Amino acid sequence: MNAFRDAGHLFRLAGVFAAGVLLFLVLRSFLVPKSFGEYGHYRGNALAEIAARPVNFAGHETCETCHADVLEKKRDGKHAHVNCEACHGPLAKHADDPSSVTPAKLDAAVLCVRCHEANAAKPKSFPQVVSADHSNGLPCDTCHQPHSPAIAAEPAK
Amino acid sequence: MNLTRRHLLLLLPAAGVAWKYILAGTPEVAPNYKLTDHWWGMLIDLTKCIGCGNCVRACQAENDVPDGYFRTWVERYHVTDYDIENPQVDSPDGGRKGFPPAKDPSGKNFFVPKLCNHCADSPCTQVCPVGATFIGPDGVVLVDKTYCLGCRYCVQACPYGCRFISPKTETAEKCTLCYHRITKGLTTACCETCPTGARQLADLKNPKDPIHEFLKTHSVQVLKPYMATHAKVFYNNLDGSVR
């Protein structure tokens, strides 16, 4: 065993290394979140944290549970596939507490032109008007009902 | 069996590993939501987009996006004489307040809504040095803002310009595909409020999703396919001039 005669300093060095590795492992187990690496190189719990955010738009199925009359009105009209909150805005708070949170009254003059003001970039098949020429300044809902906008007694073209 | 002190010592590491798993728990994303059952994407039908800006406003309302920053926005393209190398693009305030009349109604004019493409091989997750941005098992690219350093590597790496540093938190922010909504069975805020159905959330792992039929029967393209990012936002009728 002559080869190991002066190896004492190597063992001491190995001891220091081992202590360092142990310290690293202990510190890491405290500092790295438990869910890190659960699905990949990231904190697995982040998914649940991002998913926990509250919603602002209730979704049209929620609206329709109470407002079946509006759904009926919309059904055969051109706006059948336009969801409620596309015009009425985010109303999850109203859906949670319908009695105390009431939606604001909408302004047809602002809302209709958002979609129907003529623009060369819009698809040609989409109904568009130049609002200044179309109604002589009358608000849209004088003639059109927003939930079913076709005018019943429209004269033949 | 005779359980000696030596046997007990040998069992310790295994018990330690088991205890670690017990401590970690199983984080519940949402009840009835199984991460591996979904692979999310989106379908954007450009023949239906009217540039109303509903998606941009809805996104800001739903996700509290800071003013002047966008997780989704709408661009208007103007191409004259079929010069697809030099389109003129404008997007006033991200299309949030709609678009003024086109300066030149001749030529080709159309709208292109944009958002994070939730790439299956996303450059942004590859460059993150701390594991703050990642693609979940359900195919949504997300940012863990408690881990993000704000180093801006991902903002530079995204070929689609879909990321920004939030002035509030100084961390990277982007479209989450309304992760808090889709895990509850709702659609995204932009799809919910799109009046023409130009945007549709798609679950590519759901065989009943109408996207499969649509992809089979339409001329569908992704943005910058040559970047090989495997983007999951599919555009119908995408013009060659779109960057």
Side-chain angles (χ1 to χ4, degrees), chain A residues 33 36 39 42-43 45 51 53 55-57 60 83 86 114 119 122-123, chain B residues 27 47 49-50 54 57 61-63 100 134 144 146-147 181 184 192:
Chain A
F36 197 92
Y39 306 112
Y42 57 91
R43 207 167 52 90
N45 282 354
R53 193 184 163 79
V55 298
N56 285 336
F57 287 87
H60 63 103
N83 291 334
R114 262 185 199 164
N119 195 311
K122 286 183 184 179
Chain B
T47 61
C49 181
I50 56 168
N54 254 8
R57 287 187 296 273
E62 180 71 36
N63 296 300
F134 54 89
D144 179 355
T146 60
Y147 254 48
R181 298 177 61 86
K184 294 182 182 89
E192 178 67 32

PDB file of all heavy atoms in Angstrom, chain A residues 33 36 39 42-43 45 51 53 55-57 60 83 86 114 119 122-123, chain B residues 27 47 49-50 54 57 61-63 100 134 144 146-147 181 184 192:
ATOM      1  N   PRO A  33     -38.610  25.001  -6.828  1.00  0.00           N
ATOM      2  CA  PRO A  33     -39.989  24.649  -6.473  1.00  0.00           C
ATOM      3  C   PRO A  33     -40.272  23.179  -6.744  1.00  0.00           C
ATOM      4  O   PRO A  33     -39.706  22.594  -7.667  1.00  0.00           O
ATOM      5  CB  PRO A  33     -40.827  25.540  -7.392  1.00  0.00           C
ATOM      6  CG  PRO A  33     -39.925  26.606  -7.867  1.00  0.00           C
ATOM      7  CD  PRO A  33     -38.548  26.060  -7.831  1.00  0.00           C
ATOM      8  N   PHE A  36     -41.196  22.008 -10.280  1.00  0.00           N
ATOM      9  CA  PHE A  36     -40.297  22.248 -11.417  1.00  0.00           C
ATOM     10  C   PHE A  36     -39.891  20.910 -12.028  1.00  0.00           C
ATOM     11  O   PHE A  36     -39.492  19.992 -11.330  1.00  0.00           O
ATOM     12  CB  PHE A  36     -39.050  23.013 -10.967  1.00  0.00           C
ATOM     13  CG  PHE A  36     -38.301  23.626 -12.112  1.00  0.00           C
ATOM     14  CD1 PHE A  36     -38.559  24.926 -12.518  1.00  0.00           C
ATOM     15  CD2 PHE A  36     -37.365  22.886 -12.828  1.00  0.00           C
ATOM     16  CE1 PHE A  36     -37.880  25.494 -13.583  1.00  0.00           C
ATOM     17  CE2 PHE A  36     -36.701  23.441 -13.897  1.00  0.00           C
ATOM     18  CZ  PHE A  36     -36.955  24.745 -14.272  1.00  0.00           C
ATOM     19  N   TYR A  39     -43.538  18.612 -15.911  1.00  0.00           N
ATOM     20  CA  TYR A  39     -43.889  18.354 -17.319  1.00  0.00           C
ATOM     21  C   TYR A  39     -42.721  18.648 -18.252  1.00  0.00           C
ATOM     22  O   TYR A  39     -42.736  18.242 -19.397  1.00  0.00           O
ATOM     23  CB  TYR A  39     -45.070  19.226 -17.745  1.00  0.00           C
ATOM     24  CG  TYR A  39     -46.277  19.116 -16.856  1.00  0.00           C
ATOM     25  CD1 TYR A  39     -46.680  20.187 -16.069  1.00  0.00           C
ATOM     26  CD2 TYR A  39     -47.022  17.941 -16.813  1.00  0.00           C
ATOM     27  CE1 TYR A  39     -47.793  20.090 -15.263  1.00  0.00           C
ATOM     28  CE2 TYR A  39     -48.130  17.833 -16.001  1.00  0.00           C
ATOM     29  CZ  TYR A  39     -48.518  18.917 -15.224  1.00  0.00           C
ATOM     30  OH  TYR A  39     -49.610  18.821 -14.419  1.00  0.00           O
ATOM     31  N   TYR A  42     -39.704  23.610 -16.612  1.00  0.00           N
ATOM     32  CA  TYR A  42     -40.442  24.769 -16.106  1.00  0.00           C
ATOM     33  C   TYR A  42     -41.238  24.353 -14.879  1.00  0.00           C
ATOM     34  O   TYR A  42     -41.335  23.169 -14.570  1.00  0.00           O
ATOM     35  CB  TYR A  42     -41.362  25.363 -17.182  1.00  0.00           C
ATOM     36  CG  TYR A  42     -42.361  24.399 -17.771  1.00  0.00           C
ATOM     37  CD1 TYR A  42     -43.626  24.262 -17.217  1.00  0.00           C
ATOM     38  CD2 TYR A  42     -42.046  23.615 -18.878  1.00  0.00           C
ATOM     39  CE1 TYR A  42     -44.551  23.377 -17.749  1.00  0.00           C
ATOM     40  CE2 TYR A  42     -42.963  22.727 -19.413  1.00  0.00           C
ATOM     41  CZ  TYR A  42     -44.206  22.610 -18.853  1.00  0.00           C
ATOM     42  OH  TYR A  42     -45.107  21.723 -19.375  1.00  0.00           O
ATOM     43  N   ARG A  43     -41.819  25.352 -14.213  1.00  0.00           N
ATOM     44  CA  ARG A  43     -42.567  25.102 -12.990  1.00  0.00           C
ATOM     45  C   ARG A  43     -43.968  24.607 -13.360  1.00  0.00           C
ATOM     46  O   ARG A  43     -44.767  25.341 -13.928  1.00  0.00           O
ATOM     47  CB  ARG A  43     -42.651  26.406 -12.201  1.00  0.00           C
ATOM     48  CG  ARG A  43     -42.789  26.259 -10.706  1.00  0.00           C
ATOM     49  CD  ARG A  43     -42.526  27.600 -10.046  1.00  0.00           C
ATOM     50  NE  ARG A  43     -43.341  28.647 -10.651  1.00  0.00           N
ATOM     51  CZ  ARG A  43     -44.562  28.963 -10.225  1.00  0.00           C
ATOM     52  NH1 ARG A  43     -45.080  28.352  -9.201  1.00  0.00           N
ATOM     53  NH2 ARG A  43     -45.248  29.918 -10.827  1.00  0.00           N
ATOM     54  N   ASN A  45     -46.607  24.085 -11.671  1.00  0.00           N
ATOM     55  CA  ASN A  45     -47.738  24.782 -11.047  1.00  0.00           C
ATOM     56  C   ASN A  45     -48.095  26.080 -11.760  1.00  0.00           C
ATOM     57  O   ASN A  45     -49.171  26.630 -11.544  1.00  0.00           O
ATOM     58  CB  ASN A  45     -47.424  25.092  -9.579  1.00  0.00           C
ATOM     59  CG  ASN A  45     -47.580  23.863  -8.704  1.00  0.00           C
ATOM     60  OD1 ASN A  45     -48.034  22.823  -9.180  1.00  0.00           O
ATOM     61  ND2 ASN A  45     -47.199  23.979  -7.446  1.00  0.00           N
ATOM     62  N   ALA A  51     -54.186  29.480 -15.228  1.00  0.00           N
ATOM     63  CA  ALA A  51     -55.577  29.079 -15.454  1.00  0.00           C
ATOM     64  C   ALA A  51     -56.518  29.632 -14.390  1.00  0.00           C
ATOM     65  O   ALA A  51     -57.733  29.647 -14.583  1.00  0.00           O
ATOM     66  CB  ALA A  51     -55.677  27.552 -15.496  1.00  0.00           C
ATOM     67  N   ARG A  53     -56.897  32.687 -13.376  1.00  0.00           N
ATOM     68  CA  ARG A  53     -57.358  34.044 -13.633  1.00  0.00           C
ATOM     69  C   ARG A  53     -58.884  34.070 -13.828  1.00  0.00           C
ATOM     70  O   ARG A  53     -59.437  33.189 -14.459  1.00  0.00           O
ATOM     71  CB  ARG A  53     -56.674  34.530 -14.912  1.00  0.00           C
ATOM     72  CG  ARG A  53     -56.796  35.981 -15.156  1.00  0.00           C
ATOM     73  CD  ARG A  53     -56.174  36.380 -16.481  1.00  0.00           C
ATOM     74  NE  ARG A  53     -56.691  37.687 -16.827  1.00  0.00           N
ATOM     75  CZ  ARG A  53     -56.208  38.804 -16.277  1.00  0.00           C
ATOM     76  NH1 ARG A  53     -55.208  38.749 -15.458  1.00  0.00           N
ATOM     77  NH2 ARG A  53     -56.744  39.964 -16.568  1.00  0.00           N
ATOM     78  N   VAL A  55     -62.549  35.084 -15.357  1.00  0.00           N
ATOM     79  CA  VAL A  55     -62.974  35.446 -16.715  1.00  0.00           C
ATOM     80  C   VAL A  55     -63.790  36.736 -16.673  1.00  0.00           C
ATOM     81  O   VAL A  55     -64.450  37.045 -15.678  1.00  0.00           O
ATOM     82  CB  VAL A  55     -63.809  34.327 -17.381  1.00  0.00           C
ATOM     83  CG1 VAL A  55     -63.002  33.066 -17.519  1.00  0.00           C
ATOM     84  CG2 VAL A  55     -65.090  34.073 -16.641  1.00  0.00           C
ATOM     85  N   ASN A  56     -63.715  37.512 -17.761  1.00  0.00           N
ATOM     86  CA  ASN A  56     -64.517  38.728 -17.885  1.00  0.00           C
ATOM     87  C   ASN A  56     -65.683  38.568 -18.846  1.00  0.00           C
ATOM     88  O   ASN A  56     -66.729  39.171 -18.670  1.00  0.00           O
ATOM     89  CB  ASN A  56     -63.642  39.897 -18.355  1.00  0.00           C
ATOM     90  CG  ASN A  56     -62.763  40.421 -17.246  1.00  0.00           C
ATOM     91  OD1 ASN A  56     -63.082  40.247 -16.066  1.00  0.00           O
ATOM     92  ND2 ASN A  56     -61.655  41.032 -17.591  1.00  0.00           N
ATOM     93  N   PHE A  57     -65.464  37.761 -19.892  1.00  0.00           N
ATOM     94  CA  PHE A  57     -66.536  37.478 -20.845  1.00  0.00           C
ATOM     95  C   PHE A  57     -67.210  36.174 -20.425  1.00  0.00           C
ATOM     96  O   PHE A  57     -66.561  35.135 -20.366  1.00  0.00           O
ATOM     97  CB  PHE A  57     -65.976  37.349 -22.264  1.00  0.00           C
ATOM     98  CG  PHE A  57     -65.562  38.667 -22.870  1.00  0.00           C
ATOM     99  CD1 PHE A  57     -64.292  39.184 -22.666  1.00  0.00           C
ATOM    100  CD2 PHE A  57     -66.459  39.385 -23.642  1.00  0.00           C
ATOM    101  CE1 PHE A  57     -63.924  40.397 -23.223  1.00  0.00           C
ATOM    102  CE2 PHE A  57     -66.097  40.600 -24.206  1.00  0.00           C
ATOM    103  CZ  PHE A  57     -64.828  41.104 -23.991  1.00  0.00           C
ATOM    104  N   HIS A  60     -71.523  33.111 -24.570  1.00  0.00           N
ATOM    105  CA  HIS A  60     -72.939  33.232 -24.975  1.00  0.00           C
ATOM    106  C   HIS A  60     -73.826  32.149 -24.384  1.00  0.00           C
ATOM    107  O   HIS A  60     -75.006  32.372 -24.160  1.00  0.00           O
ATOM    108  CB  HIS A  60     -73.060  33.278 -26.508  1.00  0.00           C
ATOM    109  CG  HIS A  60     -72.588  32.032 -27.181  1.00  0.00           C
ATOM    110  ND1 HIS A  60     -73.443  31.101 -27.681  1.00  0.00           N
ATOM    111  CD2 HIS A  60     -71.346  31.560 -27.418  1.00  0.00           C
ATOM    112  CE1 HIS A  60     -72.751  30.107 -28.216  1.00  0.00           C
ATOM    113  NE2 HIS A  60     -71.478  30.367 -28.067  1.00  0.00           N
ATOM    114  N   ASN A  83     -72.247  36.697 -31.240  1.00  0.00           N
ATOM    115  CA  ASN A  83     -72.429  36.415 -29.816  1.00  0.00           C
ATOM    116  C   ASN A  83     -72.788  37.693 -29.054  1.00  0.00           C
ATOM    117  O   ASN A  83     -72.402  38.797 -29.449  1.00  0.00           O
ATOM    118  CB  ASN A  83     -71.169  35.791 -29.236  1.00  0.00           C
ATOM    119  CG  ASN A  83     -70.936  34.392 -29.783  1.00  0.00           C
ATOM    120  OD1 ASN A  83     -71.889  33.726 -30.183  1.00  0.00           O
ATOM    121  ND2 ASN A  83     -69.690  33.970 -29.804  1.00  0.00           N
ATOM    122  N   ALA A  86     -70.193  40.360 -28.145  1.00  0.00           N
ATOM    123  CA  ALA A  86     -69.538  41.061 -29.249  1.00  0.00           C
ATOM    124  C   ALA A  86     -69.991  42.523 -29.253  1.00  0.00           C
ATOM    125  O   ALA A  86     -69.207  43.421 -29.555  1.00  0.00           O
ATOM    126  CB  ALA A  86     -69.864  40.391 -30.577  1.00  0.00           C
ATOM    127  N   ARG A 114     -69.012  50.208 -36.389  1.00  0.00           N
ATOM    128  CA  ARG A 114     -67.784  49.461 -36.160  1.00  0.00           C
ATOM    129  C   ARG A 114     -67.638  48.338 -37.182  1.00  0.00           C
ATOM    130  O   ARG A 114     -66.560  48.074 -37.681  1.00  0.00           O
ATOM    131  CB  ARG A 114     -67.839  48.815 -34.767  1.00  0.00           C
ATOM    132  CG  ARG A 114     -67.123  49.596 -33.724  1.00  0.00           C
ATOM    133  CD  ARG A 114     -67.126  48.808 -32.435  1.00  0.00           C
ATOM    134  NE  ARG A 114     -66.850  49.674 -31.309  1.00  0.00           N
ATOM    135  CZ  ARG A 114     -67.089  49.347 -30.058  1.00  0.00           C
ATOM    136  NH1 ARG A 114     -67.633  48.187 -29.766  1.00  0.00           N
ATOM    137  NH2 ARG A 114     -66.795  50.173 -29.096  1.00  0.00           N
ATOM    138  N   ASN A 119     -65.539  49.935 -46.052  1.00  0.00           N
ATOM    139  CA  ASN A 119     -64.078  49.994 -46.094  1.00  0.00           C
ATOM    140  C   ASN A 119     -63.620  49.054 -47.205  1.00  0.00           C
ATOM    141  O   ASN A 119     -64.099  47.921 -47.298  1.00  0.00           O
ATOM    142  CB  ASN A 119     -63.493  49.555 -44.748  1.00  0.00           C
ATOM    143  CG  ASN A 119     -62.037  49.943 -44.615  1.00  0.00           C
ATOM    144  OD1 ASN A 119     -61.236  49.694 -45.501  1.00  0.00           O
ATOM    145  ND2 ASN A 119     -61.698  50.578 -43.500  1.00  0.00           N
ATOM    146  N   LYS A 122     -62.715  45.407 -46.492  1.00  0.00           N
ATOM    147  CA  LYS A 122     -63.670  44.409 -45.998  1.00  0.00           C
ATOM    148  C   LYS A 122     -64.074  43.470 -47.132  1.00  0.00           C
ATOM    149  O   LYS A 122     -64.085  43.888 -48.295  1.00  0.00           O
ATOM    150  CB  LYS A 122     -64.909  45.114 -45.427  1.00  0.00           C
ATOM    151  CG  LYS A 122     -64.616  45.761 -44.104  1.00  0.00           C
ATOM    152  CD  LYS A 122     -65.818  46.401 -43.460  1.00  0.00           C
ATOM    153  CE  LYS A 122     -65.341  47.096 -42.193  1.00  0.00           C
ATOM    154  NZ  LYS A 122     -66.374  47.793 -41.462  1.00  0.00           N
ATOM    155  N   PRO A 123     -64.423  42.235 -46.807  1.00  0.00           N
ATOM    156  CA  PRO A 123     -64.878  41.314 -47.854  1.00  0.00           C
ATOM    157  C   PRO A 123     -66.075  41.910 -48.586  1.00  0.00           C
ATOM    158  O   PRO A 123     -66.958  42.502 -47.960  1.00  0.00           O
ATOM    159  CB  PRO A 123     -65.282  40.062 -47.073  1.00  0.00           C
ATOM    160  CG  PRO A 123     -64.629  40.181 -45.754  1.00  0.00           C
ATOM    161  CD  PRO A 123     -64.443  41.629 -45.476  1.00  0.00           C
TER     162      PRO A 123
ATOM    163  N   PRO B  27     -50.988  19.446  -8.996  1.00  0.00           N
ATOM    164  CA  PRO B  27     -51.668  20.726  -9.180  1.00  0.00           C
ATOM    165  C   PRO B  27     -52.851  20.549 -10.112  1.00  0.00           C
ATOM    166  O   PRO B  27     -52.734  19.925 -11.160  1.00  0.00           O
ATOM    167  CB  PRO B  27     -50.594  21.610  -9.801  1.00  0.00           C
ATOM    168  CG  PRO B  27     -49.631  20.669 -10.431  1.00  0.00           C
ATOM    169  CD  PRO B  27     -49.708  19.386  -9.677  1.00  0.00           C
ATOM    170  N   THR B  47     -61.221  35.394 -45.230  1.00  0.00           N
ATOM    171  CA  THR B  47     -62.342  35.811 -46.087  1.00  0.00           C
ATOM    172  C   THR B  47     -63.473  36.395 -45.253  1.00  0.00           C
ATOM    173  O   THR B  47     -64.401  36.975 -45.791  1.00  0.00           O
ATOM    174  CB  THR B  47     -62.898  34.621 -46.892  1.00  0.00           C
ATOM    175  OG1 THR B  47     -63.371  33.635 -45.970  1.00  0.00           O
ATOM    176  CG2 THR B  47     -61.843  34.011 -47.789  1.00  0.00           C
ATOM    177  N   CYS B  49     -62.799  38.243 -42.145  1.00  0.00           N
ATOM    178  CA  CYS B  49     -62.386  39.325 -41.240  1.00  0.00           C
ATOM    179  C   CYS B  49     -62.795  40.682 -41.792  1.00  0.00           C
ATOM    180  O   CYS B  49     -62.501  41.008 -42.944  1.00  0.00           O
ATOM    181  CB  CYS B  49     -60.878  39.300 -41.004  1.00  0.00           C
ATOM    182  SG  CYS B  49     -60.367  40.608 -39.864  1.00  0.00           S
ATOM    183  N   ILE B  50     -63.502  41.478 -40.963  1.00  0.00           N
ATOM    184  CA  ILE B  50     -63.975  42.789 -41.388  1.00  0.00           C
ATOM    185  C   ILE B  50     -63.211  43.920 -40.690  1.00  0.00           C
ATOM    186  O   ILE B  50     -63.562  45.079 -40.829  1.00  0.00           O
ATOM    187  CB  ILE B  50     -65.492  42.942 -41.140  1.00  0.00           C
ATOM    188  CG1 ILE B  50     -65.813  42.693 -39.664  1.00  0.00           C
ATOM    189  CG2 ILE B  50     -66.276  42.005 -42.040  1.00  0.00           C
ATOM    190  CD1 ILE B  50     -67.218  43.096 -39.260  1.00  0.00           C
ATOM    191  N   ASN B  54     -62.948  44.083 -32.711  1.00  0.00           N
ATOM    192  CA  ASN B  54     -63.571  43.481 -31.529  1.00  0.00           C
ATOM    193  C   ASN B  54     -62.597  42.570 -30.784  1.00  0.00           C
ATOM    194  O   ASN B  54     -62.570  42.557 -29.554  1.00  0.00           O
ATOM    195  CB  ASN B  54     -64.797  42.658 -31.945  1.00  0.00           C
ATOM    196  CG  ASN B  54     -66.098  43.345 -31.599  1.00  0.00           C
ATOM    197  OD1 ASN B  54     -66.111  44.497 -31.189  1.00  0.00           O
ATOM    198  ND2 ASN B  54     -67.204  42.656 -31.773  1.00  0.00           N
ATOM    199  N   ARG B  57     -60.077  44.655 -28.687  1.00  0.00           N
ATOM    200  CA  ARG B  57     -60.701  45.229 -27.482  1.00  0.00           C
ATOM    201  C   ARG B  57     -61.028  44.145 -26.468  1.00  0.00           C
ATOM    202  O   ARG B  57     -60.813  44.316 -25.264  1.00  0.00           O
ATOM    203  CB  ARG B  57     -61.978  45.990 -27.861  1.00  0.00           C
ATOM    204  CG  ARG B  57     -61.740  47.302 -28.553  1.00  0.00           C
ATOM    205  CD  ARG B  57     -63.039  48.066 -28.742  1.00  0.00           C
ATOM    206  NE  ARG B  57     -63.954  47.356 -29.615  1.00  0.00           N
ATOM    207  CZ  ARG B  57     -63.951  47.458 -30.943  1.00  0.00           C
ATOM    208  NH1 ARG B  57     -63.071  48.225 -31.539  1.00  0.00           N
ATOM    209  NH2 ARG B  57     -64.811  46.781 -31.670  1.00  0.00           N
ATOM    210  N   ALA B  61     -59.689  43.729 -22.605  1.00  0.00           N
ATOM    211  CA  ALA B  61     -60.617  43.685 -21.474  1.00  0.00           C
ATOM    212  C   ALA B  61     -60.451  42.403 -20.673  1.00  0.00           C
ATOM    213  O   ALA B  61     -60.537  42.407 -19.450  1.00  0.00           O
ATOM    214  CB  ALA B  61     -62.060  43.801 -21.970  1.00  0.00           C
ATOM    215  N   GLU B  62     -60.223  41.305 -21.366  1.00  0.00           N
ATOM    216  CA  GLU B  62     -60.152  40.013 -20.690  1.00  0.00           C
ATOM    217  C   GLU B  62     -58.830  39.841 -19.949  1.00  0.00           C
ATOM    218  O   GLU B  62     -58.787  39.295 -18.857  1.00  0.00           O
ATOM    219  CB  GLU B  62     -60.314  38.892 -21.722  1.00  0.00           C
ATOM    220  CG  GLU B  62     -60.267  37.487 -21.156  1.00  0.00           C
ATOM    221  CD  GLU B  62     -61.498  37.125 -20.344  1.00  0.00           C
ATOM    222  OE1 GLU B  62     -62.597  37.562 -20.718  1.00  0.00           O
ATOM    223  OE2 GLU B  62     -61.351  36.410 -19.343  1.00  0.00           O
ATOM    224  N   ASN B  63     -57.740  40.313 -20.570  1.00  0.00           N
ATOM    225  CA  ASN B  63     -56.418  39.987 -20.040  1.00  0.00           C
ATOM    226  C   ASN B  63     -55.683  41.168 -19.422  1.00  0.00           C
ATOM    227  O   ASN B  63     -54.512  41.034 -19.064  1.00  0.00           O
ATOM    228  CB  ASN B  63     -55.569  39.371 -21.151  1.00  0.00           C
ATOM    229  CG  ASN B  63     -56.134  38.055 -21.627  1.00  0.00           C
ATOM    230  OD1 ASN B  63     -56.255  37.123 -20.854  1.00  0.00           O
ATOM    231  ND2 ASN B  63     -56.512  37.993 -22.888  1.00  0.00           N
ATOM    232  N   PRO B 100     -59.588  53.636 -40.586  1.00  0.00           N
ATOM    233  CA  PRO B 100     -60.118  54.708 -41.423  1.00  0.00           C
ATOM    234  C   PRO B 100     -60.290  54.181 -42.851  1.00  0.00           C
ATOM    235  O   PRO B 100     -59.724  53.143 -43.190  1.00  0.00           O
ATOM    236  CB  PRO B 100     -59.028  55.781 -41.358  1.00  0.00           C
ATOM    237  CG  PRO B 100     -57.784  55.049 -41.029  1.00  0.00           C
ATOM    238  CD  PRO B 100     -58.201  53.873 -40.199  1.00  0.00           C
ATOM    239  N   PHE B 134     -42.585  28.361 -21.735  1.00  0.00           N
ATOM    240  CA  PHE B 134     -42.631  26.924 -22.002  1.00  0.00           C
ATOM    241  C   PHE B 134     -43.875  26.605 -22.815  1.00  0.00           C
ATOM    242  O   PHE B 134     -44.803  27.407 -22.890  1.00  0.00           O
ATOM    243  CB  PHE B 134     -42.670  26.148 -20.678  1.00  0.00           C
ATOM    244  CG  PHE B 134     -43.793  26.584 -19.770  1.00  0.00           C
ATOM    245  CD1 PHE B 134     -45.048  25.987 -19.855  1.00  0.00           C
ATOM    246  CD2 PHE B 134     -43.605  27.603 -18.854  1.00  0.00           C
ATOM    247  CE1 PHE B 134     -46.082  26.411 -19.025  1.00  0.00           C
ATOM    248  CE2 PHE B 134     -44.635  28.019 -18.024  1.00  0.00           C
ATOM    249  CZ  PHE B 134     -45.867  27.429 -18.117  1.00  0.00           C
ATOM    250  N   ASP B 144     -44.263  31.999 -17.264  1.00  0.00           N
ATOM    251  CA  ASP B 144     -44.346  31.959 -15.806  1.00  0.00           C
ATOM    252  C   ASP B 144     -43.729  33.258 -15.295  1.00  0.00           C
ATOM    253  O   ASP B 144     -42.513  33.404 -15.245  1.00  0.00           O
ATOM    254  CB  ASP B 144     -43.560  30.743 -15.304  1.00  0.00           C
ATOM    255  CG  ASP B 144     -43.563  30.636 -13.785  1.00  0.00           C
ATOM    256  OD1 ASP B 144     -44.104  31.561 -13.139  1.00  0.00           O
ATOM    257  OD2 ASP B 144     -43.029  29.651 -13.266  1.00  0.00           O
ATOM    258  N   THR B 146     -43.408  34.581 -12.481  1.00  0.00           N
ATOM    259  CA  THR B 146     -42.602  34.562 -11.262  1.00  0.00           C
ATOM    260  C   THR B 146     -41.173  34.108 -11.551  1.00  0.00           C
ATOM    261  O   THR B 146     -40.285  34.296 -10.732  1.00  0.00           O
ATOM    262  CB  THR B 146     -43.207  33.624 -10.204  1.00  0.00           C
ATOM    263  OG1 THR B 146     -43.249  32.306 -10.751  1.00  0.00           O
ATOM    264  CG2 THR B 146     -44.598  34.038  -9.806  1.00  0.00           C
ATOM    265  N   TYR B 147     -40.959  33.488 -12.733  1.00  0.00           N
ATOM    266  CA  TYR B 147     -39.622  33.040 -13.103  1.00  0.00           C
ATOM    267  C   TYR B 147     -38.942  33.981 -14.085  1.00  0.00           C
ATOM    268  O   TYR B 147     -37.727  33.960 -14.208  1.00  0.00           O
ATOM    269  CB  TYR B 147     -39.715  31.629 -13.712  1.00  0.00           C
ATOM    270  CG  TYR B 147     -39.214  30.555 -12.795  1.00  0.00           C
ATOM    271  CD1 TYR B 147     -39.631  30.510 -11.478  1.00  0.00           C
ATOM    272  CD2 TYR B 147     -38.328  29.584 -13.236  1.00  0.00           C
ATOM    273  CE1 TYR B 147     -39.179  29.536 -10.622  1.00  0.00           C
ATOM    274  CE2 TYR B 147     -37.870  28.594 -12.386  1.00  0.00           C
ATOM    275  CZ  TYR B 147     -38.293  28.574 -11.076  1.00  0.00           C
ATOM    276  OH  TYR B 147     -37.845  27.613 -10.236  1.00  0.00           O
ATOM    277  N   ARG B 181     -59.675  30.559 -19.762  1.00  0.00           N
ATOM    278  CA  ARG B 181     -61.002  30.303 -20.311  1.00  0.00           C
ATOM    279  C   ARG B 181     -61.086  28.912 -20.925  1.00  0.00           C
ATOM    280  O   ARG B 181     -62.043  28.166 -20.671  1.00  0.00           O
ATOM    281  CB  ARG B 181     -61.351  31.349 -21.378  1.00  0.00           C
ATOM    282  CG  ARG B 181     -61.421  32.782 -20.850  1.00  0.00           C
ATOM    283  CD  ARG B 181     -61.688  33.752 -21.986  1.00  0.00           C
ATOM    284  NE  ARG B 181     -62.946  33.480 -22.642  1.00  0.00           N
ATOM    285  CZ  ARG B 181     -64.112  33.955 -22.223  1.00  0.00           C
ATOM    286  NH1 ARG B 181     -64.167  34.749 -21.187  1.00  0.00           N
ATOM    287  NH2 ARG B 181     -65.218  33.630 -22.854  1.00  0.00           N
ATOM    288  N   LYS B 184     -61.612  26.033 -18.806  1.00  0.00           N
ATOM    289  CA  LYS B 184     -62.940  25.943 -18.187  1.00  0.00           C
ATOM    290  C   LYS B 184     -64.001  25.585 -19.223  1.00  0.00           C
ATOM    291  O   LYS B 184     -65.198  25.646 -18.942  1.00  0.00           O
ATOM    292  CB  LYS B 184     -63.305  27.269 -17.526  1.00  0.00           C
ATOM    293  CG  LYS B 184     -62.413  27.627 -16.344  1.00  0.00           C
ATOM    294  CD  LYS B 184     -62.855  28.934 -15.705  1.00  0.00           C
ATOM    295  CE  LYS B 184     -61.946  29.330 -14.567  1.00  0.00           C
ATOM    296  NZ  LYS B 184     -60.800  30.142 -15.019  1.00  0.00           N
ATOM    297  N   GLU B 192     -64.855  34.599 -28.905  1.00  0.00           N
ATOM    298  CA  GLU B 192     -66.199  34.829 -28.375  1.00  0.00           C
ATOM    299  C   GLU B 192     -66.814  36.082 -28.994  1.00  0.00           C
ATOM    300  O   GLU B 192     -68.011  36.128 -29.270  1.00  0.00           O
ATOM    301  CB  GLU B 192     -66.127  34.970 -26.848  1.00  0.00           C
ATOM    302  CG  GLU B 192     -67.441  35.255 -26.139  1.00  0.00           C
ATOM    303  CD  GLU B 192     -68.438  34.095 -26.200  1.00  0.00           C
ATOM    304  OE1 GLU B 192     -68.014  32.939 -26.223  1.00  0.00           O
ATOM    305  OE2 GLU B 192     -69.651  34.384 -26.257  1.00  0.00           O
TER     306      GLU B 192
END
